[in-house]
Amino acid sequence: MLSAFETERTAWYGHAVTVERDSDGDLLRRIAGGGPGAAPAEGVLCRRFAPRIRLYGLRHLRSPDRARDLTQSVLLGLLEAARSGRIREPDHVDRFVLGTCRHFVQRMKHADHRTLPLPEDEISRVTGVVEPRPFDTAALLRCLSALEQRAQRVVLLSYTEDLAADEIARRLETTAGNVRVLRHRALASLRRCLEGGGA
Amino acid sequence: MSAELHAEWADLVDYLAGELDAGREDALEAHLMACERCAAEAEHVASLTEGIRSLLPPLASGRTLEALRRRGLRIEETELLPGSDRKAVLGPHLDVLVLRLRGVDPAAVSATFTMRTIDTGDVVLQLHDVPIDPASGSVLLLCSPHYASLSTSPDVVARVTTRDGAGAEAVSEYTIRHVFQE
């Protein structure tokens, strides 16, 4: 016979397995309903949107730390809105998340602050879902070394010196369009190299 | 961009570089927020670019070095002459150790940098068209303490190969023994 704790745990995992395949709208309805499926639904919603929010942060804030802060703040706002049923279009929660990202990024840019401190009990829910996989630096260096000369130069100028395509084009005496083509081909090549073990 | 159409790799690279026009950027952002597959693909791009950024420039111009100083990085410099054999001590006390590899022809039209491990001869890093500091005739090699995570041997030979306007080649070698302190 199962103890009360085991019964509760089994029910939680049962819900966790079920909600993993739920649509965004179904997740929001579970959360707003507040039943036993609400907590696992919150976890799935956070895992689903955290990488997308982080991407937005990397693009607009240009810092992994600030992108992490943004992710936590937006997820917290999302959970609060979901619990209180304030999201008007549950099947288009992506629009709510994008709007919230834009709002927070504006605040972060103008005030040049990070984000509001999160309540302790929420931190564990919205952290741990945003960390990217660690990178194999040795493999990256090997793959970078294997790039063709011009492609290597474009990659390093783009990402270690943060130069725009126009400026790189001026330095390499080519066009910005050509720089962009070299850059996306070089990154694709690096990806293939890394997936092949960095040989 | 509709949910059925997926984002191109090239657009994702341009997006994360901040080089899409405003209209295309708005459409792509709305798509990425709704499309799990494209968001995962964009994560690959972000992971690569963040990985490259975290390297710092392995070889830098004097201007780049100044920019790193302005960012507040703790930087120490030391000089190496061709043929020298030196320890490079890295640790939590600094962010970057700059090895100024002297004896490079400042008038060279091109320079290639190669770093090999002493024990196996494996190439750790090879970069082309590297910047030469014309005032001091040196190449600035930037070592970061996080290179301690590399699985390769810390003892390396750095080689700078230059070519002058007439096509004549010159080679300078420096032995560097990295010591990573906790």
Side-chain angles (χ1 to χ4, degrees):
Chain A
M1 187 169 170
L2 295 175
S3 67
F5 170 74
E6 286 168 332
T7 305
E8 187 181 335
R9 190 179 59 178
T10 304
W12 194 94
Y13 280 115
H15 283 296
V17 170
T18 308
V19 301
E20 198 68 52
R21 291 186 294 274
D22 274 3
S23 68
D24 295 343
D26 288 339
L27 290 175
L28 286 186
R29 285 182 276 275
R30 278 185 194 273
I31 295 167
E42 289 186 357
V44 172
L45 195 66
C46 286
R47 284 196 297 280
R48 203 171 278 179
F49 279 94
R52 307 179 200 182
I53 300 165
R54 184 172 175 277
L55 282 172
Y56 188 92
L58 286 174
R59 157 66 189 95
H60 292 278
L61 298 170
R62 298 267 170 214
S63 147
D65 288 344
R66 299 186 89 204
R68 186 184 305 117
D69 289 344
L70 175 76
T71 306
Q72 293 179 1
S73 297
V74 172
L75 288 179
L76 182 61
L78 173 63
L79 290 182
E80 286 173 351
R83 287 171 192 159
S84 57
R86 282 191 288 112
I87 298 176
R88 268 178 267 163
E89 297 180 285
D91 293 312
H92 291 292
V93 64
D94 51 288
R95 295 174 188 170
F96 176 89
V97 176
L98 181 56
T100 309
C101 283
R102 288 180 172 147
H103 170 72
F104 270 107
V105 163
Q106 285 307 314
R107 282 180 59 185
M108 291 171 80
K109 278 183 175 172
H110 286 142
D112 195 27
H113 60 60
R114 293 177 74 165
T115 48
L116 299 174
L118 301 184
E120 282 297 323
D121 59 341
E122 292 287 9
I123 288 177
S124 62
R125 194 179 300 281
V126 298
T127 53
V129 294
V130 299
E131 299 304 325
R133 292 181 296 275
F135 222 91
D136 180 346
T137 306
L140 180 58
L141 287 174
R142 281 197 299 277
C143 293
L144 203 52
S145 298
L147 284 179
E148 180 271 328
Q149 181 170 344
R150 213 163 167 78
Q152 188 183 80
R153 192 103 167 87
V154 165
V155 166
L156 289 175
L157 289 172
S158 296
Y159 300 113
T160 67
E161 304 208 19
D162 259 334
L163 297 183
D166 289 349
E167 172 62 16
I168 298 171
R170 196 183 58 73
R171 289 194 187 191
L172 301 187
E173 298 178 337
T174 184
T175 64
N178 191 32
V179 167
R180 281 193 278 271
V181 170
L182 281 167
R183 186 171 56 199
H184 76 71
R185 286 182 182 164
L187 288 184
S189 176
L190 282 176
R191 179 185 179 180
R192 282 193 300 276
C193 177
L194 288 164
E195 286 174 351
Chain B
M1 181 178 288
S2 75
E4 292 75 32
L5 290 175
H6 292 292
E8 300 280 340
W9 175 264
D11 284 338
L12 296 174
V13 173
D14 285 349
Y15 168 67
L16 282 163
E19 291 184 356
L20 277 186
D21 64 55
R24 287 174 68 201
E25 177 165 286
D26 285 350
L28 182 59
E29 282 179 342
H31 180 74
L32 286 178
M33 208 51 89
C35 178
E36 190 171 0
R37 175 175 147 181
C38 289
E41 193 73 345
E43 266 192 274
H44 279 295
V45 178
S47 167
L48 268 174
T49 56
E50 290 310 303
I52 300 164
R53 281 185 212 280
S54 74
L55 292 176
L56 293 175
L59 293 157
S61 62
R63 198 174 71 165
T64 302
L65 186 58
E66 281 313 304
L68 293 176
R69 285 190 203 284
R70 283 197 298 275
R71 274 168 53 185
L73 295 184
R74 295 165 302 164
I75 297 173
E76 285 181 10
E77 278 191 50
T78 187
E79 289 191 347
L80 276 74
L81 294 171
S84 61
D85 184 335
R86 291 274 293 276
K87 279 184 183 173
V89 181
L90 296 132
H93 61 289
L94 81 170
D95 298 307
V96 183
L97 175 63
V98 180
L99 301 179
R100 196 175 274 276
L101 308 180
R102 299 291 302 262
V104 178
D105 176 7
V109 294
S110 72
T112 298
F113 174 87
T114 308
M115 183 186 279
R116 292 178 182 275
T117 58
I118 291 175
D119 53 358
T120 63
D122 289 344
V123 174
V124 181
L125 181 66
Q126 183 165 52
L127 299 174
H128 305 283
D129 202 13
V130 301
I132 299 172
D133 180 26
S136 60
S138 58
V139 166
L140 307 183
L141 172 63
L142 273 51
C143 302
S144 161
H146 82 256
Y147 286 179
S149 64
L150 295 180
S151 54
T152 51
S153 163
D155 297 338
V156 297
V157 173
R159 171 185 289 189
V160 179
T161 306
T162 55
R163 200 174 288 277
D164 67 18
E169 198 174 272
V171 176
S172 304
E173 286 194 341
Y174 314 81
T175 299
I176 304 164
R177 301 179 191 276
H178 293 96
V179 177
F180 297 102
Q181 294 178 334
E182 292 293 320

